[in-house]
């Protein structure tokens, strides 16, 4: 997660201590020394919408075997003992759980900051008040465009108006709320309109998510942006952040799920504002890039632990059987060992990229979806070979052209996966990883 606002203006926000703490990049099991990872809990798969890009393939029905209230309380206790700083309640639709406020209050009691990732359509004025009263730190409401685009994407007519009502209800209750927008070919032209909506509605935060190919979103590889389109939308959003700052508006704008963003921003400012660029570079080095399996983890509705919410086809253990801390710090699965010290395992052009220390290989889910290799290159990296310091690559060589702007994911050549499967490759190096 890259805070454009922090990078461009220096304004402080809550998440800065999780992203830019000295020594954090050297940790193997949490956000900083003595603290566990940020955890996304898909507390239910039930959802009242049917979004085209849903990574959990949720539907409006009851799912069996989900954690009971008692089991969920025990799981939250485990996170409290591990000093987990933030628990993000996601879904499905987390507000479909009848006990969600009880669980959020319990997280707060255990010293964990509870946050909600919701479609917002169920948030009435009364519920907004209750969410604030139990101590939810932040509510992120998903909008994937304006009315027509959002409703087509979300699969239910009226979803936009109901989500906007939920946003307004949160603001009226004094509950901190922001927007979540997943960028793809169908809504690319509405990113600016979402920033306009922020200004019109007095919304203080927005997260722009790059598409990750997982769940129903796996079928959307061809709907992802070309590299050139990604660069254009980045430029547009960067310009708006600067405009907000000039107007004196406190708007936190973040880019999520593509660690090439930080390098792109740095390179853009290296000529424009060298002093600012060096400060950006320092923060990017502190952060260390993708932290799935290290400072960020996922638990699904049945208690299974995963490196992140996009790799739910890789299970590391179950909190019904072992504590989350034990699963995370004493992994039985070699894949998790590999993630904690992954650089030598990465394939494609990552090995020779000048910015590997800032990116850490980007998202494994996209790499695996396109190459078939968990450690394969992430095709959403939109940096050119020249920007990556790979100008010596020859036509036909591994990595040549993989960073060229203009290609869509389905057009980008799949890196040659090594003969060894991902877990076997990771098994070679468990002793190198610090517990």
């Amino acid at each position: 997660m890259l805070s454009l606002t922090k990078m461009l203006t220096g304004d402080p926000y809550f998440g800065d201590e999780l992203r830019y703490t000295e020594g954090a990049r050297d940790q193997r099991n949490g956000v900083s020394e003595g603290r566990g990872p940020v955890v996304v809990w898909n507390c239910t798969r039930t959802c009242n919408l049917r979004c085209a890009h849903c990574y959990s393939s949720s539907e409006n029905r009851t799912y069996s075997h989900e954690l009971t209230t008692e089991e969920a309380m025990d799981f939250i206790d485990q996170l409290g003992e591990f000093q987990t700083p933030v628990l993000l309640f996601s879904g499905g639709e987390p507000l479909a759980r009848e006990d969600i406020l009880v669980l959020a209050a319990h997280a707060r009691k255990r010293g964990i900051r509870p946050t909600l990732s919701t479609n917002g359509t169920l948030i009435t004025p009364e519920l907004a008040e209750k969410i604030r009263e139990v101590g939810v730190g932040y509510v992120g409401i998903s909008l994937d465009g304006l009315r027509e685009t959002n409703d087509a994407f979300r699969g239910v007519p009226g979803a936009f108006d109901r989500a906007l009502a939920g946003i307004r209800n949160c603001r009226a209750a004094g509950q901190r709320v922001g927007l979540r927008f997943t960028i793809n070919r169908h809504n690319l032209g509405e990113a600016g309109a979402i920033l306009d909506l922020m200004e019109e509605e007095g919304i203080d935060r927005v997260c722009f998510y790059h598409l990750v190919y997982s769940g129903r979103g796996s079928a959307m590889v061809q709907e992802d942006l070309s590299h050139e389109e990604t660069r254009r939308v980045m430029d547009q959003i960067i310009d708006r952040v600067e405009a907000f700052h000039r107007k004196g508006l406190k708007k936190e704008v973040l880019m999520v799920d593509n660690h090439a963003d930080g390098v792109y921003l740095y390179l853009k400012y290296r000529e424009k504002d060298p002093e600012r660029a060096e400060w950006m570079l320092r923060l990017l080095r502190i952060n260390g890039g993708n932290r799935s399996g290290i400072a960020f983890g996922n638990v699904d509705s049945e208690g299974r632990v995963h490196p992140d919410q996009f790799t739910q086809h890789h299970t590391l253990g179950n909190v019904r059987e072992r504590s989350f801390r034990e699963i995370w710090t004493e992994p039985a699965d070699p894949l998790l060992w590999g993630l904690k010290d992954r650089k030598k395992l990465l394939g494609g052009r990552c090995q020779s990229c000048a910015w590997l220390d800032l990116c850490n290989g980007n998202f494994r889910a996209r790499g695996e979806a396109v190459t078939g290799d968990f450690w394969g290159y992430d095709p959403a990296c939109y940096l050119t070979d020249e920007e990556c310091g790979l100008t010596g690559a020859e036509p036909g060589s591994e990595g040549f052209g993989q960073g060229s702007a203009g290609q869509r994911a389905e057009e980008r050549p799949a890196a040659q996966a090594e003969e060894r499967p991902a877990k076997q490759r990771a098994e070679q190096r468990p002793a190198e990883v610090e517990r």
Side-chain angles (χ1 to χ4, degrees), residues 143-160:
L143 285 179
D144 290 307
L146 299 183
R147 185 172 289 103
E148 183 178 350
T149 302
N150 181 80
D151 289 1
F153 221 67
R154 297 273 153 185
V156 175
F160 177 86

Side-chain angles (χ1 to χ4, degrees), residues 211-229:
L211 186 64
V212 181
Y213 324 135
S214 184
R216 280 198 292 269
S218 297
M220 293 187 67
V221 175
Q222 68 277 13
E223 310 300 333
D224 201 2
L225 307 184
S226 71
H227 291 166
E228 187 56 46
E229 287 168 332

Side-chain angles (χ1 to χ4, degrees), residues 277-295:
E278 285 305 308
W279 185 73
M280 292 175 179
L281 183 60
R282 175 178 171 273
L283 293 182
L284 293 171
R285 283 176 172 154
I286 290 171
N287 178 262
N290 184 279
R291 308 291 281 165
S292 297
I294 302 171

Side-chain angles (χ1 to χ4, degrees), residues 177-383:
V177 65
L179 301 178
R180 306 171 77 252
F181 181 94
T182 300
I183 310 169
N184 61 83
R185 290 176 63 186
H186 300 291
N187 65 9
L188 174 62
E190 297 187 12
I194 289 295
L195 291 163
D196 292 339
L197 184 69
M198 275 187 79
E199 199 165 351
E200 293 163 5
E201 294 288 336
I203 301 166
D204 297 329
R205 189 178 198 255
V206 62
C207 294
F208 287 98
Y209 288 77
H210 293 269
L211 186 64
V212 181
Y213 324 135
S214 184
R216 280 198 292 269
S218 297
M220 293 187 67
V221 175
Q222 68 277 13
E223 310 300 333
D224 201 2
L225 307 184
S226 71
H227 291 166
E228 187 56 46
E229 287 168 332
T230 303
R231 297 166 82 93
R232 286 202 302 268
V233 76
M234 276 292 291
D235 289 343
Q236 178 187 14
I237 295 169
I238 289 167
D239 288 346
R240 289 296 297 272
V241 172
E242 292 180 326
F244 285 150
H245 186 59
R246 286 194 298 270
K247 291 179 181 180
L249 299 176
K250 296 280 288 185
K251 305 290 183 186
E252 186 182 15
V253 180
L254 303 104
M255 302 302 302
V256 190
D257 295 343
N258 193 331
H259 295 276
D261 291 342
V263 179
Y264 180 75
L265 182 67
Y266 164 71
L267 293 175
K268 183 181 178 72
Y269 275 79
R270 190 165 60 178
E271 299 297 328
K272 182 178 179 179
D273 186 345
E275 185 176 350
R276 170 67 63 179
E278 285 305 308
W279 185 73
M280 292 175 179
L281 183 60
R282 175 178 171 273
L283 293 182
L284 293 171
R285 283 176 172 154
I286 290 171
N287 178 262
N290 184 279
R291 308 291 281 165
S292 297
I294 302 171
F296 187 92
N298 171 250
V299 176
D300 67 28
S301 63
E302 297 183 28
R304 292 180 291 257
V305 179
H306 312 282
D308 59 40
Q309 69 269 44
F310 303 114
T311 51
Q312 292 190 349
H313 54 297
H314 292 292
T315 297
L316 310 171
N318 195 303
V319 297
R320 284 170 161 155
E321 300 165 0
R322 300 171 69 204
S323 74
F324 181 87
R325 181 173 191 156
E326 183 181 356
I327 294 169
W328 205 250
T329 62
E330 302 177 14
D333 193 309
L335 200 69
L336 185 54
W337 279 118
L339 282 169
K340 292 179 186 297
D341 192 9
R342 72 191 72 174
K343 290 183 175 64
K344 293 180 182 178
L345 298 174
L346 296 171
R349 65 185 192 147
C350 290
Q351 279 294 326
S352 302
C353 179
W355 307 111
L356 181 56
D357 281 348
L358 305 189
C359 166
N360 208 27
N362 220 337
F363 266 81
R364 301 295 83 234
R366 278 191 300 251
E368 185 177 25
V370 173
T371 71
D373 177 9
F374 186 80
W375 307 108
Y377 82 97
D378 182 345
C381 175
Y382 55 93
L383 301 175

